[in-house]
């Protein structure tokens, strides 16, 4: 394997929505050298590879960022970081304007105002949103993009970030990258739990299957404080294709009905994101399924528009309608809950950051799905966080006196980093493959840590079994053999998922109440308990997660780390 | 979820390989045709379909999620994306989307 050492001012890990926008912000505001390391290719990577058909976080005329905060807070049973949600909300419209200037098509009325869908959404054509962001990135001379470079671990000295290790997954090159500051924007984690369709279509999931929790795992391994992994995200989706339901529910005002055609969601408390899933699960449990979005009779024109809208973000659903010979006007759309995902852009799992999005590791920032405490980011919120993280990182560079890393020290970092991956290349081939261990992990999480098969509920006795088996699987994964860097990527993806799985188990156990139905359904404690109106955080020390309970952080404060 | 690559139509240009977010597309040897190495790993994002200028890549639903024999490919003409769907009986349908217009929903 070739070995290369790179120096840069800012390293951005992950060139998805948040990462690209952080780079764009840095390039517009400074002449700092920026390097984006992306596991795939920034033209079509991350959550928006297939496109997106609406911007779901926008402050429509007559509303304020405070209103958006109130919505997010209500949807999350109050437990969010208000400082983070408010600072994000304040930037939503500005980044939207910027996206439009870059070339995104946004629907406008005859007065030139954006056409809204509900209180917070605007209509777009987002099929090519990722190529638009990528083109903008490539227009700046101070941004370098490393596509197909997978970053696996941070380099940290005295709790300060100094760089990261990675490798080119096709060219067998190992990189040691030294950076003054690092922005982590790797996205969240899918594939932790057994998926809805475990066979050929196992990757037909809502969240990108290539987002494997790398950012979370790197932070956990480096001793960063993490938050709210117990608040999993379960999406209510079109059955089988796992395509979004919001476009139908809001676009043509289709209500949820059970198998008998009865409206049911109002019987299960406030219509929060979690309760929409929970109510559907309960109806099925009680024998009143399957559940549907009532679309019959929406009209031919509406049906035609829905076929187009789904081609722009989830083409499988359009094809499904055509395969059935019946579109939504002629047949209600069946719905189901997905497997649980860990994703800080929809729920609050991720790095515990200060108001400027700095993690508890000095000089390391987090933005997008990998950053915790700030749910309902969607596309524009991830852009806003990319901007906040970039501006904070710039300030950090200006205000910090960096220690020189001498040649010998540098070589020592290069050697230890390379050894960590090199050992996999020298392991003998064993009896298990990455895919087998991944399947085993997903089965354990499904059966013992609140997956689909258990209607998302869990109890202490099951979690004990889950934790012990996940740790055993990790030992097996650490002995896997890699013949090249592509294999190495697959091994790291598995190791990262296993570490996130363990964090989820420990966090689920620590929350001795049920705060969010389905998302966190503790069958030992089935009610909400105000004694748990606090954040469950954790730091991994000596191979074990230690739980830290932290008090609520309200709006208007600037939260700073105290260590 | 998966795609099929038509070996007759594939020119080996490599555009699909460049964009695949899962790094699932490869060529056996330089200059040969593209193939999907891990079909079960495909997300179904259709990035490769949109890159292919030779109508060589088509997309289908697995039978496990309701597939009934249809395949779909996409062509580009100015600002329009034309999605071509051919069902198991050979019936064709085209849905065109103007990239300069927003979704109605």
């Amino acid at each position: 394997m070739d070995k290369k050492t790179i120096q840069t001012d800012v390293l951005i890990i992950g060139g998805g929505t948040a990462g690209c926008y952080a780079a764009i912000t840095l390039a517009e505001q400074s002449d700092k050298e920026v390097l984006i390391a992306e596991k795939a290719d920034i033209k079509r990577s991350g959550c928006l590879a297939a496109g997106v058909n609406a911007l779901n976080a926008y402050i429509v005329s007559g509303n304020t960022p405070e209103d958006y905060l109130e919505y997010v807070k209500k949807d999350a049973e109050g437990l969010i970081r208000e400082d983070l949600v408010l600072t994000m909300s304040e930037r939503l419209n500005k980044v939207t304007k910027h996206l439009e200037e870059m070339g995104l098509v946004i629907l406008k009325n005859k007065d030139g105002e954006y056409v809204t869908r509900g209180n917070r959404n605007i209509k777009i054509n987002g099929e090519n949103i990722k190529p638009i962001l990528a083109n903008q990135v490539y227009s700046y001379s101070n941004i370098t993009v490393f596509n197909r470079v997978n970053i696996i671990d941070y380099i940290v000295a005295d709790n300060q970030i100094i760089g990261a290790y990675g490798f080119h997954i096709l060219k067998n090159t190992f990189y040691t990258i030294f950076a003054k500051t690092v922005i982590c924007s790797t996205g969240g984690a899918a594939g932790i739990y057994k998926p809805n369709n475990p066979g050929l279509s196992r990757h037909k999931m809502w969240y990108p299957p290539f987002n494997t929790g790398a950012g979370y795992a790197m932070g956990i391994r480096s001793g960063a404080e993490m938050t709210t992994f117990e608040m999993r995200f379960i999406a209510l989706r079109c059955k089988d294709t796992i395509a979004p339901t919001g476009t139908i529910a809001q676009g043509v005002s289709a209500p949820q009905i059970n198998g008998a055609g009865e409206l049911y969601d109002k019987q299960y408390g406030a219509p929060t994101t979690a309760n929409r899933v929970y109510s559907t699960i309960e109806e099925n449990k009680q024998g009143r399924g399957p559940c549907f979005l009532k679309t019959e009779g929406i009209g031919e024109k509406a049906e035609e528009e829905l076929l187009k809208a789904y081609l722009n973000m989830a083409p499988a659903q359009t094809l499904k309608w055509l395969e059935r010979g019946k579109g939504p006007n002629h047949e209600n759309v069946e719905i189901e809950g997905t497997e649980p995902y860990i994703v800080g852009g929809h729920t609050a799992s991720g790095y515990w950051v200060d108001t400027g999005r700095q993690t508890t590791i000095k000089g390391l920032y987090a933005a997008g799905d990998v950053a915790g405490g700030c749910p309902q980011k969607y596309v524009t919120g991830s852009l806003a966080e990319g901007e906040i993280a970039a501006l904070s990182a710039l300030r950090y560079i200006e205000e910090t006196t960096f220690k020189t890393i001498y040649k010998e020290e540098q070589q020592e970092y290069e050697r230890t980093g390379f050894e960590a991956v090199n050992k996999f290349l020298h392991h003998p081939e064993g009896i298990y493959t990455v895919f087998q261990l991944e399947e085993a992990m997903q089965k354990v999480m499904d059966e013992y840590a609140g997956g689909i098969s258990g209607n998302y509920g869990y109890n202490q006795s099951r979690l004990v079994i889950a934790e012990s088996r996940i740790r055993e699987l990790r030992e097996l994964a650490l002995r896997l053999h890699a013949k090249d860097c592509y294999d190495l990527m697959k091994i790291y993806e598995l190791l990262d998922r296993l570490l996130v799985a363990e964090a989820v188990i420990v966090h689920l156990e620590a929350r001795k109440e049920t705060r969010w139905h389905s998302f966190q359904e503790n069958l030992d404690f089935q009610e909400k308990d105000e004694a748990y109106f606090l954040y469950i955080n954790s730091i991994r020390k000596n191979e074990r997660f230690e739980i830290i309970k932290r008090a609520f952080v309200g709006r208007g404060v600037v939260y700073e780390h105290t260590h | 979820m998966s795609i099929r690559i038509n070996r007759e139509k594939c020119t080996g240009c490599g555009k699909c390989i460049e964009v695949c977010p899962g790094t699932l597309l490869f060529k056996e040897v330089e200059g040969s045709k593209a193939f999907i190495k891990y079909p079960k790993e495909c997300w179904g994002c259709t990035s490769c379909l949109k890159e292919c200028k030779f109508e060589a890549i088509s997309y289908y639903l697995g039978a496990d999620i309701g597939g009934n024999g249809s395949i779909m490919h996409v062509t580009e003409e100015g600002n329009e994306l034309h999605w071509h769907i051919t069902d198991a009986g050979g019936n064709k349908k085209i849905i065109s989307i103007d990239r300069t217009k927003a979704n109605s929903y």
Side-chain angles (χ1 to χ4, degrees):
Chain A
M1 203 183 307
D2 293 337
K3 286 174 235 168
K4 283 188 183 160
T5 299
I6 310 271
Q7 308 266 1
T8 185
D9 292 322
V10 188
L11 169 65
I12 297 174
I13 306 174
T17 319
C20 281
Y21 203 73
I24 291 165
T25 304
L26 287 161
E28 284 184 348
Q29 307 271 334
S30 76
D31 56 0
K32 298 284 181 253
E33 276 179 49
V34 180
L35 173 64
I36 299 177
E38 162 61 50
K39 181 168 79 167
D41 184 295
I42 66 165
K43 186 175 180 186
R44 293 279 184 187
S45 64
C47 298
L48 303 183
V52 59
N53 87 319
L55 296 181
N56 289 325
Y58 185 80
I59 313 296
V60 305
S61 181
N63 281 26
T64 65
E66 286 270 347
D67 294 328
Y68 194 81
L69 165 61
E70 285 303 325
Y71 152 70
V72 174
K73 191 174 176 185
K74 207 169 161 189
D75 204 62
E77 304 293 340
L79 201 49
I80 54 157
R81 281 274 302 274
E82 290 190 355
D83 60 324
L84 299 179
V85 178
L86 190 60
T87 50
M88 170 193 78
S89 303
E90 285 164 352
R91 289 171 189 268
L92 292 173
N93 290 17
K94 184 179 149 227
V95 298
T96 303
K97 186 89 190 82
H98 197 187
L99 257 184
E100 190 183 23
E101 285 159 10
M102 289 181 212
L104 185 77
V105 173
I106 304 181
L107 189 64
K108 288 179 172 168
N109 63 21
K110 58 181 185 321
D111 300 324
E113 288 165 353
Y114 298 154
V115 175
T116 58
R117 186 184 91 177
N119 277 335
R120 297 171 290 273
N121 311 17
I122 55 175
K123 299 171 184 183
I124 63 169
N125 184 328
E127 179 281 317
N128 58 351
I129 189 166
K130 218 41 230 305
I132 287 171
L133 280 167
N135 282 343
Q136 188 76 13
V137 163
Y138 287 123
S139 73
Y140 299 104
S141 58
N142 54 334
I143 305 177
T144 305
V145 180
F146 278 10
N147 287 317
R148 308 287 166 194
V149 170
N150 186 35
I151 300 296
I152 49 163
D153 263 315
Y154 299 129
I155 311 174
V156 178
D158 301 326
N159 200 44
Q160 181 175 10
I161 195 93
I162 54 173
Y165 298 115
F167 47 78
H168 194 291
I169 61 177
L170 301 172
K171 290 184 181 161
N172 288 321
T173 307
F174 183 82
Y175 288 105
T176 305
I177 303 169
F178 292 102
K180 288 179 178 145
T181 175
V182 174
I183 297 173
C184 180
S185 46
T186 54
I192 307 284
Y193 283 82
K194 188 173 169 181
N196 292 79
N197 312 297
L200 170 70
S201 305
R202 68 191 201 95
H203 271 183
K204 188 65 217 120
M205 47 178 64
W206 165 72
Y207 200 63
F210 318 115
N211 284 16
T212 55
Y216 298 142
M218 286 190 276
I220 291 168
R221 284 194 290 267
S222 296
E225 185 169 332
M226 311 302 277
T227 189
T228 323
F229 274 115
E230 74 281 10
M231 188 189 189
R232 308 166 306 167
F233 183 66
I234 296 154
L236 185 69
R237 296 281 118 167
C238 300
K239 177 130 192 342
D240 296 338
T241 59
I242 318 297
T245 49
T247 303
I248 302 171
Q250 294 168 44
V252 297
S253 303
Q256 291 173 220
I257 54 168
N258 63 21
E262 301 157 341
L263 299 172
Y264 62 83
D265 57 333
K266 295 210 167 47
Q267 296 158 33
Y268 295 89
T272 59
T273 310
N275 275 347
R276 278 199 292 274
V277 176
Y278 175 66
S279 58
T280 305
I281 301 308
E282 286 297 307
E283 286 295 302
N284 277 308
K285 254 166 77 180
Q286 290 162 27
R288 291 194 291 270
C291 296
F292 302 91
L293 289 174
K294 190 175 184 304
T295 55
E296 278 178 24
I298 56 170
E300 293 299 332
K301 178 82 181 111
E303 174 169 301
E304 196 186 309
E305 292 300 333
L306 282 177
L307 289 176
K308 287 188 184 180
Y310 276 85
L311 281 174
N312 278 344
M313 57 165 176
Q317 185 58 32
T318 302
L319 191 51
K320 176 86 181 273
W321 279 321
L322 296 171
E323 286 282 42
R324 295 206 41 83
K326 282 181 187 172
N329 181 35
H330 300 95
E331 189 173 71
N332 293 327
V333 178
E334 193 179 338
I335 50 177
E336 67 178 331
T338 63
E339 77 267 29
Y341 307 102
I342 307 304
V343 49
H346 285 256
T347 52
S349 317
Y351 282 92
W352 180 248
V353 291
D354 67 12
T355 310
R357 272 62 174 180
Q358 182 173 224
T359 70
T360 55
I361 294 171
K362 213 176 154 206
L364 173 66
Y365 296 81
D369 284 341
V370 85
C374 182
Q376 318 284 14
K377 285 174 202 162
Y378 301 104
V379 176
T380 42
S382 293
L383 299 175
E385 279 203 335
E387 182 175 68
I388 297 168
L391 296 175
S392 300
L394 269 184
R395 218 165 27 245
Y396 170 79
I397 294 179
E398 303 303 335
E399 291 170 359
T400 307
T401 314
F402 294 95
K403 273 187 272 178
T404 312
I405 303 168
Y406 294 101
K407 192 79 189 162
E408 264 179 25
E409 218 180 328
Q410 191 174 315
Q411 284 168 343
E412 181 58 19
Y413 282 122
E414 289 162 3
R415 195 184 59 75
T416 52
F418 180 70
E419 267 179 16
V421 300
N422 194 38
K423 66 176 193 284
F424 289 103
L425 298 167
H426 292 90
H427 287 164
E429 264 187 73
I431 48 176
Y432 302 117
T433 63
V434 166
F435 295 115
Q436 288 168 10
L437 296 182
E438 184 182 312
E439 196 177 4
M441 167 191 67
Q442 291 175 344
K443 185 168 185 281
V444 169
M445 294 303 286
D446 180 64
E447 293 173 352
Y448 295 103
I452 295 170
S453 70
N455 293 312
Y456 308 120
Y458 67 90
N459 67 20
Q460 172 71 18
S461 311
R462 285 186 185 274
L463 290 181
V464 169
I465 297 170
E467 187 180 2
S468 131
R469 187 57 185 148
I470 291 296
R471 291 176 67 88
E472 287 166 5
L473 290 171
R474 187 164 174 275
E475 289 305 311
L476 292 174
L478 284 168
R479 293 201 286 271
L480 285 165
H481 165 75
K483 66 178 182 309
D484 53 23
C485 280
Y486 193 84
D487 283 358
L488 267 180
M489 171 181 73
K490 301 306 285 181
I491 292 173
Y492 269 89
E493 286 177 342
L494 174 64
L495 286 169
D496 292 347
R497 281 177 165 136
L498 284 164
L499 201 52
V500 174
E502 193 178 328
V504 170
I505 292 165
V506 173
H507 277 249
L508 285 173
E509 187 186 354
R511 186 166 287 285
K512 300 196 186 306
E513 61 157 355
T514 293
R515 172 72 42 176
W516 310 279
H517 277 306
S518 297
F519 291 8
Q520 184 261 322
E521 189 84 44
N522 190 336
L523 299 175
D524 294 328
F525 304 92
Q526 297 188 24
E527 301 294 325
K528 191 157 85 174
D529 178 353
E530 286 316 307
Y532 275 88
F533 189 70
L534 43 76
Y535 310 107
I536 303 286
N537 288 6
S538 64
I539 295 178
R540 189 163 172 266
K541 286 177 187 161
N542 304 318
E543 306 263 306
R544 288 281 176 187
F545 286 89
E546 285 181 12
I547 292 290
I548 303 158
K549 291 174 178 166
R550 290 209 182 269
F552 186 74
V553 181
R555 69 196 74 183
V557 302
V558 175
Y559 180 83
E560 286 177 358
H561 298 307
T562 49
H563 56 283
Chain B
M1 200 66 245
S2 209
I3 55 155
R4 289 187 67 172
I5 302 178
N6 183 328
R7 287 186 59 85
E8 303 293 312
K9 290 182 175 174
C10 175
T11 64
C13 74
K15 287 278 184 196
C16 57
I17 296 170
E18 274 175 35
V19 295
C20 176
T23 320
L24 307 175
L25 301 170
F26 289 86
K27 278 196 263 186
E28 289 278 9
V29 286
E30 201 52 44
S32 71
K33 316 281 185 182
F35 74 104
I36 180 158
K37 198 168 178 183
Y38 303 101
K40 282 168 79 171
E41 303 289 280
C42 173
W43 187 24
C45 71
T46 67
S47 297
C48 56
L49 272 78
K50 294 171 197 166
E51 284 298 317
C52 183
K53 301 291 174 249
F54 306 98
E55 303 175 29
I57 309 182
S58 56
Y59 173 86
Y60 67 97
L61 287 185
D64 58 339
I65 58 170
N68 216 1
S70 293
I71 54 164
M72 177 162 81
H73 74 268
V74 63
T75 56
E76 201 177 335
E77 186 184 6
N79 285 322
E80 293 220 313
L81 278 183
H82 303 300
W83 295 81
H84 306 254
I85 301 105
T86 309
D87 71 16
N91 302 308
K92 292 182 196 299
K93 182 182 173 75
I94 297 173
I95 301 179
S96 299
I97 293 176
D98 187 338
R99 281 172 151 165
T100 63
K101 293 210 171 74
N103 296 314
S104 301
Y105 299 120

